[in-house]
Amino acid sequence: MSKTIILALLLAQIITLAFAASSVTCGTHPLLNKVQSSVNSLVATDTSGKAKTKSDALFKSFTNAKPSSKSAADLGVCSAYAGQNSCCDKNIVKLIDQAALQKAKPIQTKSTVFQKFTNIYAAQANKLCSKYITNGPVTADAILKNAALTSFQALKTSQATCKINFAKALTSFTRGALCTVCSGVDKVNDYVNAQGQLKVTQDSVNQFVSATDTAATCFANIFTGDAFKATINELNGKYISDATCASSVLTKIQTVFTNKIIQNSDGNGGKLCKGTTVFGNNAACESLLQGDANLESNNSRLLRSEDDEMFRLLDASAAPDAVVDPQGVSVYTTSSTDSSIDENGSNISTSFDNVSTTSSEIIKAALALISLLALAF
Ligand SMILES: *[C@@H]1O[C@H](CO)[C@@H](O)[C@H](O)[C@H]1NC(C)=O
Ligand SMILES: *[C@@H]1O[C@H](CO)[C@@H](O)[C@H](O)[C@H]1NC(C)=O
Ligand SMILES: *[C@@H]1O[C@H](CO)[C@@H](O)[C@H](O)[C@H]1NC(C)=O
Ligand SMILES: *[C@@H]1O[C@H](CO)[C@@H](O)[C@H](O)[C@H]1NC(C)=O
């Protein structure tokens, strides 16, 4: 082979390598736009507006960053990408952690089907048996606080735990999705398929599906068979003095809840909480424990089974935007910040105060400049 050919081959090789190395920069990271818009919609509820300003600044730094190999300590909750040529730094992963926690707040402030049941019980008891309620009318608040209702109180406690675990599953799932922006520029094309879908591991999908299934089952069991009958009878025994009237309340409430109200199923053989709707609208899953949206309305037609099914199918329209792949990323990332998740969301305090927008690069440059100046004088 002549020297010219070898040189030409070498040159071609160098050009190819240079091209490959520069094909993904921080600003063209394929997951940047999806993650940034998810973070922005999550922090939109921060009324101080500080979070949005910080998010804008951090994503601007991200866009201009030079990818470099990051340690697990640098990547915090997103340490799964340690050792990769990442564009993330300590501050953007703090933002990601807090933004993921923000997912739980609006969900926890909504009533679960258990709280709705309490409201419906009070409404029906007052409507059907007002004559037989001593010191009436009965209120949902009074029921929730009544320590003499031992079985009901045990249920209230266990459903609260299930509600909390469900919210933790959602924040972990959200965090796993947001962390994908920290994947290395040299690796990210392995994590996204030709259709632009994120590849996720089966294990991480299973973790999410298992946690959400457990919560769904926990709630479904409350409204099933003899257990549900016993719960209603306990309330009747406490609030309604006439047995015949109490029995009509039992029948009415059982009718309202005839179909399993909580089911992690899209009515089409799939799950509502699939684990593969990563960046898309996942509202059908997120509102799972709230049950049928029309449960408390007076429109009894909507409580019939075929309409329930219709409601499920419409709700299940959220399309998966990820695929399971052994080479994929883990889309389930827990964090110590999740310990603040409580039943009604009042203990969840997302704080963006510790998220600094001054990048460490700038600090290092400033320190170097100061040392130079110090030397000069
Ligand atoms: C249902 O009807 C009752 C009176 O019949 C009314 O007080 C209540 O607000 C109604 N609830 C809803 C959700 O429309
Ligand atoms: C409230 O949040 C803190 C963490 O911020 C946690 O340690 C504590 O257990 C939470 N309390 C409740 C009642 O959930
Ligand atoms: C949330 O629950 C706590 C007790 O767990 C209670 O003190 C607080 O008032 C509740 N907040 C709301 C908004 O219901
Ligand atoms: C913020 O940082 C301070 C000092 O390091 C620490 O005491 C505080 O707990 C941090 N707050 C949050 C919400 O992480």
Side-chain angles (χ1 to χ4, degrees), residues 296-373:
E296 285 184 271
S297 86
N298 287 337
N299 191 344
S300 59
R301 193 189 63 83
L302 284 165
L303 295 170
R304 289 212 318 262
S305 66
E306 54 277 28
D307 291 303
D308 269 350
E309 201 55 31
M310 184 71 81
F311 170 78
R312 287 277 176 233
L313 293 177
L314 288 175
D315 237 15
S317 56
D321 57 6
V323 290
V324 170
D325 188 295
Q327 305 307 316
V329 298
S330 170
V331 74
Y332 197 86
T333 305
T334 57
S335 165
S336 59
T337 53
D338 286 344
S339 65
S340 70
I341 298 176
D342 61 342
E343 181 189 1
N344 61 22
S346 61
N347 192 44
I348 302 173
S349 60
T350 38
S351 166
F352 296 93
D353 290 347
N354 282 5
V355 180
S356 162
T357 51
T358 324
S359 85
S360 52
E361 260 74 10
I362 294 172
I363 295 174
K364 274 184 217 148
L367 286 177
L369 189 64
I370 290 166
S371 337
L372 275 178
L373 285 174

Side-chain angles (χ1 to χ4, degrees), residues 18-318:
F19 186 76
S22 66
S23 64
V24 179
T25 60
C26 291
T28 58
H29 194 290
L31 296 165
L32 172 60
N33 291 339
K34 283 177 178 173
V35 171
Q36 184 172 7
S37 72
S38 296
V39 167
N40 283 342
S41 63
L42 286 163
V43 303
T45 47
D46 174 62
T47 43
S48 71
K50 266 197 263 175
K52 176 65 166 60
T53 310
K54 289 190 173 180
S55 170
D56 288 347
L58 288 170
F59 277 105
K60 187 154 182 263
S61 304
F62 180 102
T63 304
N64 298 323
K66 239 180 86 208
S68 62
S69 175
K70 296 287 163 41
S71 68
D74 284 332
L75 293 183
V77 291
C78 303
S79 64
Y81 303 102
Q84 298 188 9
N85 279 320
S86 178
C87 305
C88 286
D89 67 3
K90 279 192 166 102
N91 284 301
I92 204 158
V93 297
K94 277 188 207 163
L95 174 79
I96 284 173
D97 192 20
Q98 293 293 317
L101 181 58
Q102 196 71 37
K103 183 90 203 174
K105 186 109 186 173
I107 294 169
Q108 296 306 73
T109 59
K110 301 261 167 57
S111 293
T112 63
V113 70
F114 179 78
Q115 288 155 294
K116 291 180 182 179
F117 156 69
T118 313
N119 294 338
I120 291 168
Y121 176 83
Q124 290 301 330
N126 292 327
K127 190 173 162 189
L128 301 175
C129 304
S130 62
K131 278 190 292 187
Y132 304 107
I133 297 175
T134 36
N135 306 322
V138 56
T139 66
D141 225 32
I143 297 172
L144 290 166
K145 285 182 183 141
N146 192 339
L149 300 163
T150 49
S151 301
F152 177 85
Q153 291 302 331
L155 264 189
K156 185 182 135 188
T157 306
S158 72
Q159 66 90 37
T161 306
C162 296
K163 183 181 183 184
I164 290 167
N165 289 339
F166 181 76
K168 285 182 178 172
L170 281 168
T171 55
S172 297
F173 185 65
T174 304
R175 196 176 287 111
L178 301 182
C179 277
T180 59
V181 82
C182 298
S183 59
V185 293
D186 47 340
K187 287 281 286 178
V188 65
N189 279 325
D190 298 344
Y191 298 147
V192 178
N193 71 12
Q195 287 74 46
Q197 292 167 307
L198 185 68
K199 298 179 192 172
V200 295
T201 62
Q202 185 71 61
D203 267 6
S204 62
V205 169
N206 289 353
Q207 273 180 291
F208 179 66
V209 171
S210 159
T212 48
D213 270 353
T214 302
T217 305
C218 168
F219 274 80
N221 287 346
I222 299 174
F223 302 101
T224 312
D226 290 345
F228 188 38
K229 194 173 163 189
T231 304
I232 302 167
N233 281 335
E234 185 184 38
L235 298 177
N236 282 346
K238 187 72 199 165
Y239 294 107
I240 301 169
S241 60
D242 178 78
T244 311
C245 198
S247 150
S248 69
V249 171
L250 172 67
T251 307
K252 176 67 187 178
I253 306 276
Q254 280 179 315
T255 308
V256 170
F257 287 89
T258 291
N259 305 292
K260 270 192 202 140
I261 301 289
I262 300 291
Q263 215 176 358
N264 187 11
S265 158
D266 65 3
N268 244 346
K271 303 274 182 190
L272 277 181
C273 296
K274 295 175 177 63
T276 47
T277 305
V278 175
F279 294 107
N281 181 350
N282 206 18
C285 165
E286 288 159 13
S287 59
L288 180 63
L289 303 187
Q290 292 154 33
D292 190 322
N294 298 304
L295 199 50
E296 285 184 271
S297 86
N298 287 337
N299 191 344
S300 59
R301 193 189 63 83
L302 284 165
L303 295 170
R304 289 212 318 262
S305 66
E306 54 277 28
D307 291 303
D308 269 350
E309 201 55 31
M310 184 71 81
F311 170 78
R312 287 277 176 233
L313 293 177
L314 288 175
D315 237 15
S317 56

